[in-house]
Amino acid sequence: MQNVPTGLFTGGKWRPAASGAVFDVEDPSAARSLCTVADAGADDALDALRAAADAQQAWAAHPPRERGEILRRAYELIHARIDDLALLMTLEMGKPLAEARGEVAYAAEFFRWFAEEAVRIDGGYAVSADGKDRLVVMRRPVGPALLVTPWNFPLAMGTRKIGPAVAAGCTMVIKPAEQTPLSMLMLAQIMSEAGLPDGVLNVITTSRPGEVVEPLLRDGRIRKLSFTGSTQVGKLLIEQSAQQVLKVSLELGGNAPFIVCEDADLDLAVEGAMQAKMRNMGEACTAANRLYVHESVAGEFARRLAERMGSLVVGRGTEPGVDVGPLIDEAGRTKVRELVGEAVAGGAKALVGGEPVPGDGYFYAPTVLVDVPADARMMHEEIFGPVAPIIEFSDEDEAVAAANATEYGLVSYLFTENLRRAFRLSERLDTGMVGLNKGVVSNPAAPFGGVKQSGLGREGGRVGIDEFLETRYLAMPLS
Ligand code: NAP
């Protein structure tokens, strides 16, 4: 773990927590400590905020082209260090190296995208209806932002926020997840090397997120919260953001339905299910959580999926040939074990898997369940593990009603070869995104986000930068 920063990054300097406290970062494939990092308290967080607030005015005035060029340089530097970043991510999070490399490349794309958007922040000009006034509309950075990210995509969930914040001219304090702080700390080092001025990006690592985040949200200098994580914590942060009426964007939990119609291309559907289910070992907000398959093809689909799932190699992400790494911790694995246990007690059958993998680390076997009861808890909660429950349906209305019967609305997947059905069902699915004959929707050029309790606002795409801008208008009479 040489050369990996482990301190707090505030005002362009690395330093320990004021209290000197540290906490352990664990390798989930071995259930042992990798290293320790600084454990910030509220005073450290306010120090980071001071640095961000002090830097805000100058950063907002920084030429957009230069803001874009810093992002572009950071994009190049990430690629130059892709192997180091991927290894670090695999060690702290568990995903296999090939997936970690994929995430690093995906994370970098947000910088390339927003490097290009930095110079396209425009406004408007209009003549008032009575002809007397001129109305000039301008976009301004919203101000210092607090960015809070989860452990499942340690880098990409950060760059999806840092990219637009930098491009828009916002300074920021970022709090990565306790379980995966190292990728973000290395990114801070890269941003600094790319020429980001001191104080624009500040990183606070902590084992006490509530104690550190709440004072920041209640301090009038933060003007924006961008959070990715669970719906439960998101709701709490909305309440805390209400005190200062912050601009809030939230990427929260999901419970994605995956619908396979009778006219689907089954090869494509099985491939899509493998991606939608097994990306990140099932630990993704976009993970297919409920697979609804038409009764005429359900048996064949389940057989083929079970064959593919059964052939996956489970092991340490650093080992060659491994497809599936460990879950993040024992609590995550216990939840998966309980959900599967309850479903099986209710009548579900495991075609493959169904058990944790014995030994060190938090491994769980890739699992396909059939005959899952509609009221099983796993149909209503995020499984966050490599478990695919299959439920049969007999007509379109039944599939749509079941798919929409959740408080979540992040993404749905639909497999059909019929164009009219594709449009008809896509319009009826209550989700912010639909994967049509495709098991991965994430794309830096697309507006990522959910409806209902899956979130507010969008990240990526043309609209991603709007979350970090506010609109001001100037009224000017001609005489
Ligand atoms: P989480 O427990 O909500 O944690 C997310 C972040 O919030 C972490 O940095 C965490 O810090 C922090 N946090 C926890 N309690 C807090 C509090 N009381 N006050 C302030 N901050 C607090 O979620 P997670 O388990 O890390 O991530 C999994 C969840 O994220 C899933 O629900 C998943 O669906 C969702 N997710 C959504 C998207 C999306 O784009 N919609 C993407 C990825 C993940 P600690 O690490 O110290 O607990």
Side-chain angles (χ1 to χ4, degrees), residues 152 183 197 205 249 280 314 378 431:
N152 60 347
S183 304
T205 51
S249 42
N280 230 37
V314 181
M378 67 166 55
T431 52

Side-chain angles (χ1 to χ4, degrees), residues 28-322:
S29 70
R32 63 174 160 74
S33 176
L34 283 170
C35 64
T36 59
V37 301
D39 193 358
D43 288 352
D44 296 305
L46 289 170
D47 182 55
L49 173 56
R50 197 173 311 118
D54 288 350
Q56 179 58 58
Q57 204 180 352
W59 182 237
H62 211 82
R65 174 66 76 200
E66 285 180 24
R67 297 202 300 259
E69 281 171 354
I70 290 168
L71 284 175
R72 178 67 203 205
R73 278 198 294 277
Y75 163 83
E76 309 281 354
L77 286 169
I78 292 172
H79 272 282
R81 286 186 214 158
I82 192 164
D83 290 335
D84 291 348
L85 281 161
L87 178 60
L88 200 57
M89 190 184 289
T90 293
L91 289 173
E92 67 176 349
M93 192 275 165
K95 66 182 77 181
L97 268 179
E99 273 200 76
R101 281 180 68 90
E103 181 185 337
V104 176
Y106 170 56
E109 282 306 316
F110 286 102
F111 283 180
R112 180 151 69 161
W113 176 265
F114 285 107
E116 291 155 359
E117 291 299 290
V119 291
R120 317 229 185 283
I121 302 167
D122 54 14
Y125 175 86
V127 178
S128 65
D130 62 11
K132 292 179 184 162
D133 285 355
R134 296 299 175 264
L135 315 177
V136 181
V137 177
M138 50 192 101
R139 316 293 308 282
R140 301 275 310 147
V142 65
L146 173 60
L147 316 179
V148 181
T149 56
W151 49 264
N152 60 347
F153 293 97
L155 207 58
M157 297 302 95
T159 58
R160 207 161 73 170
K161 301 178 189 308
I162 297 168
V166 167
C170 292
T171 62
M172 66 210 85
V173 176
I174 181 157
K175 194 212 84 60
E178 180 182 342
Q179 283 156 316
T180 58
L182 301 175
S183 304
M184 185 54 61
L185 292 171
M186 195 160 168
L187 182 72
Q189 199 174 45
I190 286 175
M191 298 300 289
S192 190
E193 277 176 51
L196 194 70
D198 292 350
V200 174
L201 175 91
N202 304 277
V203 186
I204 288 292
T205 51
T206 183
S207 66
R208 294 160 287 161
E211 278 175 44
V212 160
V213 166
E214 189 171 0
L216 295 179
L217 293 175
R218 292 188 190 278
D219 185 302
R221 288 172 293 178
I222 284 281
R223 295 310 314 149
K224 160 84 191 172
L225 167 68
S226 178
F227 171 76
T228 298
S230 63
T231 296
Q232 188 193 1
V233 174
K235 286 179 183 177
L236 178 74
L237 300 190
I238 294 176
E239 274 178 35
Q240 293 175 4
S241 301
Q243 288 297 318
Q244 298 286 349
V245 192
L246 301 187
K247 188 174 167 87
V248 171
S249 42
L250 304 162
E251 296 288 353
L252 306 178
N255 180 5
F258 185 102
I259 302 174
V260 182
C261 299
E262 65 265 43
D263 55 26
D265 175 331
L266 274 201
D267 289 337
L268 209 58
V270 171
E271 190 57 40
M274 290 300 292
Q275 291 178 317
K277 182 72 251 179
M278 293 307 294
R279 180 173 178 231
N280 230 37
M281 293 84 74
E283 294 174 315
C285 52
T286 49
N289 211 56
R290 304 166 286 151
L291 284 70
Y292 296 106
V293 185
H294 190 269
E295 58 193 4
S296 63
V297 293
E300 178 64 9
F301 176 85
R303 189 188 62 73
R304 290 204 215 172
L305 186 65
E307 200 175 290
R308 289 284 300 276
M309 294 278 270
S311 70
L312 295 173
V313 178
V314 181
R316 286 198 80 186
T318 46
E319 300 292 328
V322 163

